[in-house]
């Protein structure tokens, strides 16, 4: 298929002479090993205008094609199926599949820093090409696939050039980059590779000259400058950067950084599980052998046992031991299946975290959970990846996270024996029991020193008995003994025995084993402030807590809080799961929460919770305004935070987004647990997340948080807050094409805002109604809604809202063909944006002005406006409006006769809309289809 379509027979190529026969073969090859309906084949073969005898003619073509396939020695077989036909093609029988495998092998080698191996793999794949894919076949659906394959070819060529640079083959990279540029002069990546290759060849002047050639080309053809990475590369070359001249990989960025390495830290001195480690080693060895019983599936190992028995410790230790065998990286997630707060990690959230770890750009992540899971499995296909799913509740929580093919190994830890995972998913079971007496003695001997244990063997046995041979309890007990080497083990064992007796009446049947005596023994050694912090950490419901959040929880300074957290870490009561972030074992979290109930008053606990929520709301409010400047403030503005609350001051937008990424799971968990008790903060925290979630494309997460916020606003009886949540939910519904739901939400929002006397809220509802009217094709109604919004915003003295309404009015005038009036309103909006520093809306105004100048016939000005809008949206990370502007840019290119530029812009827009699963994708897809149809008609003429 990578050239004219040919069949490769036993004695050489088999000619496929008739054009319709080649077209039929091409259509079947687009869907190998899948049934293609007769109706679809007929529709495609005759472009929707089939002859009267189309069905019998198709049967005749099928008969002739079967005879041709027989001449290939049975490599491919065409079978009849109910309603259609299926072309059975064995694995690696097509050059497309072989090319994709070579390219994937090249990418893996490139990511691992094996540059010469990567060059060989890419070259092998590129050598399969014999010209344009599906050459000579003009069916639109086939040409679309041919373009996609050509894109993959160019991408593989660029990656091959990157590998050449990493391997030091700079002269060869220069020659191949020039050839690629000649074929695709407006692609910036080949220019970047050429400039870097020339510089590494010691040809600095030619390297800078190449940059100037690109600068002039882009300026003349598109009126734009080279992208920022190229500008930065030029500056480094001008400064004679010696690191750039010698560094491996493209533009000096080590490829190894893209490999995820998420394993938690492994403890030193791991003892007591030799047999289990040997069994895991054997499973790994067998899985690589030819006789492995499931060669087409990922290897799954379920490590099960009671709480505190050491499942996670074993998994982390062995994972580190074999990590080098998994060259594509290691993924880890704590599924919190038995969290005492009852909030297991949603598999959707876990998949999203894996996509982030796999370096998938936010704009490429689909909106729906199903599509995200599919992308995750696609990315792991053919890779050697180790996936650790820690603390799983059941098979249902695990299944969405399983890779779909061989090469990966999955470690699952759980208190549940996972019978369904074993029975239906082929998991290997490894059960962990308590330590034997001998293993427990070895454990203590390693931690405390064998001589100390030997001298006081009876006391050591007593400590083991009090800990019930549970590894978690033994670790905590030995930590206490280790920090007091001068204490006799007998004295420590007596203290532990006394603590155990005091807690006998408090045995908790919900715990697998009541080891609170051991916990209390360690807890009693803490200073008062550290003990209080430990108790209050039981009130925090997220997977981990930052130092800043803990400081507000306990009303201490961050510096003091850090010292207290380290004291808890030394006592093995918490662990530092990531720099500056701390987590508790489930048993310890339950113990801490129980202590807080008994020791701290309800007033003290509520005050700590309010401080924590104030921290999230006030820091989130700052972060939200950095993420999306000009956003309307809260309908329920936060009061001044109380004493002891320490909101963070964030430096810039990047810091704000990073804070949201880290804290979103904790904020969402707090919303879930505290609804009905702290409803004001529940609504406010949801407000802070609005733009972060929308920019990240997490529409369903946004619906979840705003639904909780709406319920909270109803309970506190605040109409303005309810209206705001209804407007956000309307926006979500519109993005998903659910316009009936959108209208219902906006009707509620308008009624609530009117009753509350909220002028800005009413204006916002009218603006949203104008968007819906435009979607229905009624620009007159949309214009009327926007004028109502403008009057209300001005009455409320809301300048940001006024700018939004002015832009909307200008846009709808343009939609009605009144471009002069539209320009007047949009230019007012732009001036107001510049005065207010409202950069997010300014991008929207530039897009409107692009459309207006296009309508006025000023195409150069229109192009400049669209490119400004596109660049600003990319900088903001606003994928939806970037796609919208790209769609408009494609319209401009098409009107100017720049077919390839239009196809590229619409293709980028379609990718974004499709990934977001927004309804606008259908409109762009129609434009591309019409473009292809017109191009085909022009060729026929």
């Amino acid at each position: 298929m990578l050239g004219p379509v040919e069949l490769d027979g036993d004695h050489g190529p088999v000619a496929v002479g008739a054009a319709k026969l080649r077209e039929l073969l091409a259509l079947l090859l687009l869907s190998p090993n899948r049934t293609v309906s007769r109706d679809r084949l007929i529709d495609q073969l005759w472009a929707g205008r089939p002859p009267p005898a189309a069905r019998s003619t198709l049967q005749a073509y099928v008969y002739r094609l079967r005879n041709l396939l027989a001449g290939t020695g049975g490599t491919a077989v065409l079978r009849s199926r109910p309603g259609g036909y299926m072309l059975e093609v064995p694995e690696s029988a097509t050059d497309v599949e072989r090319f994709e495998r070579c390219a994937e092998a090249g990418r893996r080698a490139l990511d691992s820093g094996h540059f010469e191996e990567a060059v060989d793999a890419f070259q092998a794949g590129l050598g399969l090409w014999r010209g344009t894919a599906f050459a000579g076949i003009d069916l639109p659906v086939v040409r679309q696939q041919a373009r996609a394959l050509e894109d993959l070819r160019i991408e593989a060529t660029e990656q091959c050039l990157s590998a050449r640079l990493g391997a030091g083959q700079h002269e060869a990279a220069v020659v191949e980059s020039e050839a690629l540029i000649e074929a695709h002069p407006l692609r910036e990546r080949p220019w970047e590779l050429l400039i870097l290759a020339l510089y590494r060849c010691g040809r600095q002047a030619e390297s800078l000259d190449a940059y100037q050639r690109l600068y002039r080309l882009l300026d003349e053809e598109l009126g734009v400058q080279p992208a920022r990475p190229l500008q930065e590369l030029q500056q480094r070359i001008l400064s004679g950067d010696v690191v750039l001249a010698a560094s491996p990989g493209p533009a000096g960025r080590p490829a190894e950084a893209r490999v995820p390495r998420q394993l938690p830290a492994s403890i030193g001195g791991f003892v007591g599980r030799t047999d289990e480690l040997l069994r895991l080693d054997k499973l790994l060895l067998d899985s690589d052998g030819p006789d492995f019983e499931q060669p087409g599936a990922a290897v799954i190992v379920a490590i099960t046992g009671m709480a505190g028995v050491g499942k996670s410790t074993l998994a982390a230790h062995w994972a580190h031991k074999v990590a080098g065998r998994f060259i594509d990286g290691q993924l880890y997630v704590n599924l919190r299946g038995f969290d005492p707060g009852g909030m297991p990690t949603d598999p959707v959230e876990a998949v999203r975290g894996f996509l982030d770890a796999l370096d998938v750009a936010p704009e490429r992540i689909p909106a729906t959970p199903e599509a995200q899971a599919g992308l995750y499995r696609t990315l792991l296909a053919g890779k050697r990846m180790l996936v650790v799913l820690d603390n799983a509740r059941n098979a249902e929580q695990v299944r969405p996270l399983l890779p779909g093919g061989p090469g990966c190994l999955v470690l699952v830890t759980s208190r549940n024996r996972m019978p369904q995972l074993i029975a239906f998913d082929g998991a290997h079971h490894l059960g962990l029991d308590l330590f034997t007496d001998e293993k427990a003695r070895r454990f203590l001997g390693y931690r405390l020193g064998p001589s100390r244990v030997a001298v006081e063997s009876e006391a050591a046995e007593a400590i083991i008995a009090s800990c019930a041979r549970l590894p978690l309890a033994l670790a905590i007990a030995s930590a206490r003994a280790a920090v007091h080497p001068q204490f006799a083990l007998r004295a420590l064992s007596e203290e532990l025995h006394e603590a155990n007796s005091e807690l006998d009446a408090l045995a908790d049947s919900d715990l697998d084993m009541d080891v609170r005596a051991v916990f209390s023994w360690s807890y009693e050694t803490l200073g008062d402030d550290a003990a209080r912090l430990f108790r209050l950490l039981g009130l925090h419901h997220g997977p981990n807590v930052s130092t800043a959040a803990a400081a507000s929880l306990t009303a201490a300074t961050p510096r003091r809080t850090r010292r207290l957290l380290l004291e808890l870490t030394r006592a093995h009561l918490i662990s530092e799961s990531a720099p500056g972030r701390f987590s508790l074992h489930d048993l310890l979290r339950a113990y801490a929460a129980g202590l807080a109930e008994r020791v701290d008053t309800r007033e003290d606990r509520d005050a700590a919770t309010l401080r924590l929520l104030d921290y999230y709301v006030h820091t989130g409010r700052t972060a939200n305004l950095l993420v999306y400047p000009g956003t309307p403030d809260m309908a329920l503005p936060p009061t001044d935070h109380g004493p002891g609350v320490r909101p963070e001051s964030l430096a810039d937008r990047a810091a704000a987004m990073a804070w949201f990424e880290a804290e979103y799971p904790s904020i969402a968990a707090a919303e879930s647990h505290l609804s009905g008790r702290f409803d004001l903060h529940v609504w406010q925290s949801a407000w802070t997340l609005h733009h972060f979630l929308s920019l990240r494309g997490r529409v369903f997460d946004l619906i979840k948080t705003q639904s909780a916020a709406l319920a909270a606003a109803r309970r506190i009886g605040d109409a303005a807050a309810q209206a705001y949540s209804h407007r956000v939910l309307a926006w979500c519904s519109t993005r998903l094409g659910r316009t009936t739901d959108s209208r219902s939400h906006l009707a509620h929002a308008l009624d609530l805002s009117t009753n509350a006397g909220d002028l800005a809220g009413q204006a916002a509802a009218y603006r949203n109604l104008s968007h819906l009217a435009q979607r229905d094709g009624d620009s007159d109604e949309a214009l009327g809604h926007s004028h109502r919004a403008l009057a209300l915003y001005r009455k409320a003295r809301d300048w940001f809202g006024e700018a939004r309404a002015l832009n909307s009015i200008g846009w709808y005038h343009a939609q009605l063909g009144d471009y002069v009036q539209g320009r007047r309103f949009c230019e007012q909006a732009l001036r107001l944006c510049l005065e207010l520093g409202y950069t997010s809306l300014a991008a929207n105004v530039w897009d409107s002005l692009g459309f207006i100048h296009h309508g006025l016939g000023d195409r150069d000005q229109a192009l400049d406006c669209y490119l400004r809008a596109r660049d600003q949206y990319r900088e903001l990370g606003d994928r939806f409006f970037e796609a919208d502007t790209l769609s408009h840019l494609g319209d401009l290119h098409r009107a100017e006769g720049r077919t390839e530029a239009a196809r590229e812009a619409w293709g980028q827009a379609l990718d974004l809309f499709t990934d977001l699963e927004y309804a606008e994708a259908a409109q762009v897809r129609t434009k591309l289809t019409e473009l292809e149809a017109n191009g085909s008609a022009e060729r026929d003429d």
Side-chain angles (χ1 to χ4, degrees):
M1 293 179 274
L2 302 179
V5 177
E6 293 180 354
L7 294 173
D8 209 2
D10 292 338
H11 306 290
V14 177
V16 185
K20 276 287 186 282
L21 212 55
R22 289 196 302 274
E23 291 174 354
L24 173 61
L25 177 57
L27 289 171
L28 292 166
L29 284 168
L30 294 183
S31 305
N33 303 309
R34 288 185 292 173
T35 299
V36 184
S37 72
R38 290 187 185 89
D39 291 342
R40 176 172 172 78
L41 290 172
I42 290 171
D43 183 69
Q44 294 291 335
L45 284 170
W46 285 282
R49 297 187 295 275
R55 186 173 291 268
S56 59
T57 305
L58 174 62
Q59 291 173 345
Y61 288 146
V62 168
Y63 174 80
R64 292 169 62 187
L65 184 55
R66 279 180 176 146
N67 289 337
L68 288 173
L69 291 170
T72 67
T75 302
V77 180
L78 180 54
R79 302 191 185 279
S80 295
R81 288 288 183 265
Y85 301 96
M86 179 173 71
L87 183 63
E88 288 188 355
V89 181
E91 189 174 347
S92 298
T94 68
D95 54 3
V96 168
E97 185 175 354
R98 292 195 295 276
F99 164 71
E100 289 175 343
R101 288 193 172 204
C102 288
E104 180 58 33
R107 282 190 288 271
R108 287 202 303 271
L110 180 62
D111 286 347
S112 301
H114 302 141
F115 300 112
E116 292 184 359
E117 180 183 336
V119 171
D120 291 341
F122 284 123
Q123 288 288 88
L126 292 167
L128 296 169
W129 285 75
R130 297 170 289 107
T132 304
F134 294 101
I137 296 177
D138 285 329
L139 300 180
V141 66
V142 177
R143 299 314 316 153
Q144 186 175 356
Q145 178 64 17
R147 284 193 302 277
L149 288 169
E150 181 63 23
D151 288 342
L152 291 176
R153 179 187 190 179
I154 297 170
E155 182 179 336
T157 305
E158 291 173 346
Q159 291 170 334
C160 183
L161 288 170
S162 298
R164 285 203 186 281
L165 288 173
Q169 301 172 12
H170 304 139
E171 292 288 354
V174 169
V175 175
E176 293 179 14
S177 297
E178 289 278 16
L180 188 58
I181 286 169
E182 184 175 353
H184 305 280
L186 294 179
R187 285 182 72 96
E188 294 190 34
R189 181 63 174 150
W191 285 98
E192 181 182 6
L193 293 166
L194 172 64
I195 292 165
L196 182 59
L198 287 168
Y199 182 59
R200 290 189 180 168
C201 288
R203 298 154 66 178
Q204 182 179 12
E206 292 178 62
S207 176
L208 293 170
D209 179 66
Y211 178 85
Q212 291 302 321
R213 285 162 50 200
L214 171 63
Y215 189 102
R216 290 191 296 271
L217 176 67
L218 294 178
D219 185 52
E220 292 169 4
E221 292 291 330
L222 300 176
V224 298
Q225 296 182 2
R228 185 173 299 173
L230 272 160
Q231 295 179 30
E232 293 173 353
L233 179 60
Q234 183 214 24
Q235 291 302 314
R236 294 180 69 182
I237 293 172
L238 283 169
S239 65
D241 190 329
V242 294
V243 176
L244 179 65
S247 59
R253 294 186 295 272
E256 192 69 22
R258 295 192 292 273
V259 178
R261 307 198 184 281
Q262 290 191 307
L263 294 179
S266 179
I267 65 167
F270 182 84
V271 294
R273 298 297 185 190
T274 304
D275 293 342
E276 289 83 357
L277 289 172
L278 289 173
R279 185 174 171 196
L280 288 169
D281 287 341
K282 186 175 186 305
L283 275 173
L284 178 60
L285 184 64
D286 290 347
S287 70
D288 287 334
D291 299 326
F292 184 58
E293 60 189 16
Q294 290 179 298
V299 180
I300 308 167
V301 183
I303 303 174
T304 68
M306 67 171 60
V309 80
K311 304 179 294 296
S312 299
T313 303
L314 171 65
H317 177 78
W318 186 76
H320 277 285
K321 179 179 172 226
V322 300
R325 301 282 296 275
F326 297 90
I327 60 173
D328 294 309
Q330 308 91 42
L331 297 172
Y332 171 88
V333 64
N334 183 356
L335 294 173
R336 305 177 71 202
F338 298 88
D339 184 279
M343 281 290 293
T345 300
D346 190 326
V348 174
E349 180 184 337
V351 167
R352 178 60 192 249
F354 284 167
L355 293 177
D356 290 339
L358 291 165
D359 203 27
V360 180
E363 62 269 18
R364 303 299 302 169
I365 295 177
T368 64
E370 295 79 9
Q372 290 178 12
L375 176 59
Y376 162 67
R377 288 191 294 272
T378 299
L379 292 172
L380 262 60
K383 291 187 182 296
R384 293 276 299 174
M385 188 80 73
L386 178 61
V387 183
V388 181
L389 308 177
D390 199 12
N391 198 13
R393 187 171 188 85
N394 50 38
E396 287 70 27
Q397 192 185 24
V398 166
R399 283 199 181 101
L401 307 175
L402 297 177
C408 296
L409 187 143
V410 184
L411 285 179
V412 182
T413 72
S414 180
R415 300 183 202 176
N416 187 327
R417 284 183 60 85
M418 292 285 176
Q420 290 183 319
L421 202 67
I422 295 166
F424 301 115
D425 298 277
H428 301 269
H429 181 241
L430 178 60
L432 289 192
D433 286 327
L434 299 170
F435 278 159
T436 63
D437 287 334
E438 179 186 355
K439 290 179 178 179
R441 281 193 296 272
R442 284 179 56 205
F443 184 93
L444 282 183
Y446 187 89
R447 295 295 181 93
L448 305 179
S451 59
R452 189 178 180 190
V453 172
V455 169
E456 294 192 74
S457 59
E458 289 186 8
E461 294 293 343
I463 291 174
I464 290 170
S466 294
C467 292
R469 294 181 282 117
L470 186 69
L472 174 64
L474 284 166
I476 294 173
S478 60
R480 169 84 192 282
V483 297
H484 294 291
Q486 74 279 11
F487 286 8
L489 290 185
R490 180 179 177 181
L492 295 174
S493 69
E494 288 174 353
E495 285 183 15
L496 185 54
H497 177 73
E498 184 177 335
N500 202 10
S501 299
E502 290 175 356
L503 287 173
D504 279 344
L506 300 176
D508 189 342
S509 60
D510 289 337
L511 298 180
D512 290 303
M513 178 172 293
D514 189 22
V515 292
R516 286 179 299 170
V518 180
F519 300 163
S520 71
W521 186 48
S522 187
Y523 167 77
E524 292 297 336
T525 67
L526 300 172
D528 290 345
D529 289 344
R532 177 172 173 270
L533 174 57
F534 176 69
R535 296 193 304 272
L536 295 181
L537 287 174
L539 306 178
H540 184 274
H541 299 289
N544 50 53
V545 63
S546 68
T547 303
S552 291
L553 186 67
T554 194
T557 65
R559 184 175 181 181
R560 173 65 176 160
T561 302
R562 176 70 183 175
R563 288 201 295 269
L564 297 177
L565 289 166
L566 291 177
E567 184 177 345
L568 296 178
T569 303
R570 286 192 296 268
H572 281 238
L573 293 174
I574 64 172
S575 60
E576 192 166 10
S577 52
R581 303 196 72 85
F582 299 83
S583 57
L584 285 76
H585 188 283
D586 290 350
L587 291 179
L588 287 162
R589 184 190 298 275
Y591 176 65
L595 281 175
E597 287 278 349
R598 292 194 298 273
V599 175
D600 301 295
T601 66
R602 176 65 177 268
E603 291 75 15
D604 287 343
R605 297 197 306 274
D606 285 351
T609 300
L610 279 172
R611 286 194 299 272
L612 180 67
L613 293 174
D614 270 347
Y615 161 79
Y616 284 131
V617 166
H618 283 270
T619 309
R621 181 172 181 244
T622 298
N624 186 48
L625 294 173
L626 283 170
V627 165
Y628 218 80
T631 188
D633 208 346
M634 295 184 185
L636 300 175
T639 56
D640 292 338
H641 59 76
V645 179
R646 305 186 182 278
E648 293 186 69
S649 57
L650 303 168
D652 51 28
R653 186 175 186 276
M657 291 296 284
W659 184 86
F660 275 130
E661 290 284 4
E663 299 297 349
Y664 168 65
S666 294
I667 297 173
E671 277 190 358
S672 177
H673 280 88
L674 301 175
S675 290
R677 292 185 55 214
F678 298 94
D679 282 326
L680 174 63
H681 287 77
V682 166
W683 188 90
Q684 290 172 335
S685 64
W687 179 92
T688 69
L689 293 167
H690 174 187
H691 291 102
F692 163 71
L693 292 174
S694 62
L695 288 171
R696 282 289 186 251
R698 299 184 178 184
V699 179
F700 290 90
D701 287 342
L702 186 54
I703 291 172
K704 181 179 178 181
T705 59
Q706 284 297 326
S707 295
L710 179 58
R714 284 171 175 161
R715 285 191 292 269
I716 59 180
D718 193 288
Q722 293 175 57
Y724 181 92
S725 293
H726 274 300
R727 292 197 302 273
V728 179
L729 290 168
W731 183 90
C732 295
S733 298
T734 301
R735 295 283 71 78
L736 296 172
R738 304 169 182 172
T739 54
T740 301
D741 292 343
S742 299
R743 291 188 183 283
S744 175
H745 281 300
L746 289 176
H748 286 301
L750 189 55
D751 287 344
L752 287 161
S753 297
T754 302
N755 293 337
D758 179 6
L759 298 177
Q762 294 173 57
Y766 277 119
R767 280 193 66 247
N768 286 338
L769 284 168
S770 71
H771 300 329
L772 279 178
Q774 185 196 20
R775 287 177 65 91
D776 291 341
D778 193 338
S779 294
D780 281 316
E781 181 183 349
L783 185 60
H785 287 316
S786 295
H787 273 294
R788 293 187 192 96
L790 178 62
L792 287 163
Y793 278 131
R794 284 175 169 167
K795 190 173 181 181
R797 302 180 68 80
D798 183 337
W799 313 129
F800 289 94
E802 179 178 342
R804 291 191 291 272
L806 286 168
N807 178 57
S808 295
I809 292 171
W811 172 256
Y812 296 129
H813 272 300
Q815 294 297 300
L816 292 167
D818 190 348
Y819 299 110
V820 174
Q821 190 78 319
R823 181 175 61 185
R824 185 172 71 84
F825 278 98
C826 284
E827 286 176 347
Q828 290 181 53
L830 186 60
R831 285 194 296 272
L832 194 51
C833 286
L834 296 175
E835 291 174 13
L836 297 169
Y838 197 174
T839 55
S840 53
L841 182 68
N844 208 309
V845 180
W846 283 120
D847 178 79
S848 300
L849 286 169
F851 182 84
I852 289 167
H853 284 294
H854 185 183
L856 291 170
D858 189 349
R859 306 296 170 80
D860 291 339
Q861 188 67 26
L863 179 62
D864 179 67
C865 291
Y866 280 142
L867 293 176
R868 283 174 180 260
R870 181 201 64 183
D871 292 346
Q872 286 192 17
Y873 283 135
R874 284 180 178 171
E875 188 173 337
L876 288 166
D878 194 325
R879 296 182 288 160
F880 170 76
F881 281 113
E882 179 189 346
D884 199 43
T885 293
L886 285 166
S887 177
H888 299 154
L889 185 59
D891 297 341
L892 175 64
H893 286 314
R894 178 57 174 159
E896 290 291 286
R898 295 190 290 262
T899 304
E900 284 303 317
R903 181 181 291 116
E904 182 176 355
W906 284 337
Q908 292 175 16
L910 180 59
D911 287 344
L912 286 170
F913 281 139
T914 302
D915 286 344
L916 291 166
E917 298 204 350
Y918 286 170
E920 285 79 359
Q923 300 169 14
V924 180
R925 191 177 291 110
T926 299
K927 293 178 183 180
L928 282 167
T929 302
E930 291 175 351
L931 183 68
E932 295 308 318
N934 291 336
S936 178
E938 290 166 7
R939 287 193 295 273
D940 291 342
D941 292 342

